Amino acid sequence: MYATIQRKIYQFAKTHKFNSLEIGPGNGVFSKEFRSWRKNFFLDILPGIESKVRRRFHPAHQKNIVWFTTRKHECKNIPQNSCNFVFSWDTFVFFTRIHIKRYLENLHNVLIPGGYCFIHYADCHFDYDLHEAKRGYWNYNTKREMTQIIKNTGYEVIEMGQFRPGANYFICKKPGNQNPALYKISEITID
């Protein structure tokens, strides 16, 4: 699954002009995939995570990493209209729908017009996700509710998908056309 997510990230990496933002990088599993962006912003509530993420980058790339510790859903330290791509995996599944809504509202200021978000979320229509929510590990969410949150916060839904059970994601776009990276859904049609 890592390679599939990596390939999807690379579809947004067509510019060195803008920055990326990863929310909740954890141990930095995907963090090194953002090297092609000008600056890499990382946002987490845990200050001890920074060293784990930085270890994944070559010393010469350290100057391109900007780390912020946040409370709840704040993105105020990240420059407005500075990112063309926001990524988060295995973080938003823990957030309530209200928390997700507030994050998306704050990200609206961070993204350039035409900027994308690629975010993992829980879809409790599936047994795996529902099991995680019932045991209190993930927060309950569904594709329908997530779609409504995305639209209500001013984004266009580009893609809602699943790599496997427990790996549901959405890609949304802030209105506008300043992003040099244009994401296109590639689907295999079956007749």
Side-chain angles (χ1 to χ4, degrees), residues 87-132:
F87 174 80
S88 186
W89 198 264
D90 206 22
T91 299
F92 277 61
V93 292
F94 300 105
F95 296 162
T96 65
R97 290 185 299 275
I98 292 168
H99 196 168
I100 292 171
K101 179 182 181 288
R102 295 230 170 92
Y103 240 124
L104 289 176
E105 289 168 349
N106 286 328
L107 290 174
H108 218 274
N109 296 326
V110 170
L111 284 166
I112 64 168
Y116 293 96
C117 295
F118 173 23
I119 296 174
H120 173 221
Y121 76 101
D123 184 354
C124 293
H125 283 129
F126 295 98
D127 290 340
Y128 181 87
D129 301 50
L130 182 58
H131 172 55
E132 296 301 302

Side-chain angles (χ1 to χ4, degrees), residues 12 15 17-20 37-38 41 78-86 106-117 154-155 172-182:
F12 300 97
T15 180
K17 183 178 178 183
F18 293 104
N19 310 307
S20 67
W37 276 269
R38 187 169 57 97
F41 295 112
I78 299 165
Q80 289 192 356
N81 296 312
S82 64
C83 297
N84 76 321
F85 183 63
V86 174
N106 286 328
L107 290 174
H108 218 274
N109 296 326
V110 170
L111 284 166
I112 64 168
Y116 293 96
C117 295
Y155 295 90
C172 65
K173 180 181 176 190
K174 178 180 173 180
N177 59 3
Q178 290 182 9
N179 195 347
L182 181 61

Side-chain angles (χ1 to χ4, degrees), residues 23 33 35-37 43 53 57-58 71 76 82 118 128 134 138-139 142 149 154 158 181:
I23 299 169
E33 305 307 335
R35 290 176 296 220
S36 63
W37 276 269
L43 191 66
V53 172
F57 290 90
H58 187 276
R71 289 183 326 113
K76 65 183 178 186
S82 64
F118 173 23
Y128 181 87
K134 281 184 176 179
W138 286 0
N139 265 294
T142 65
I149 291 169
I158 302 299

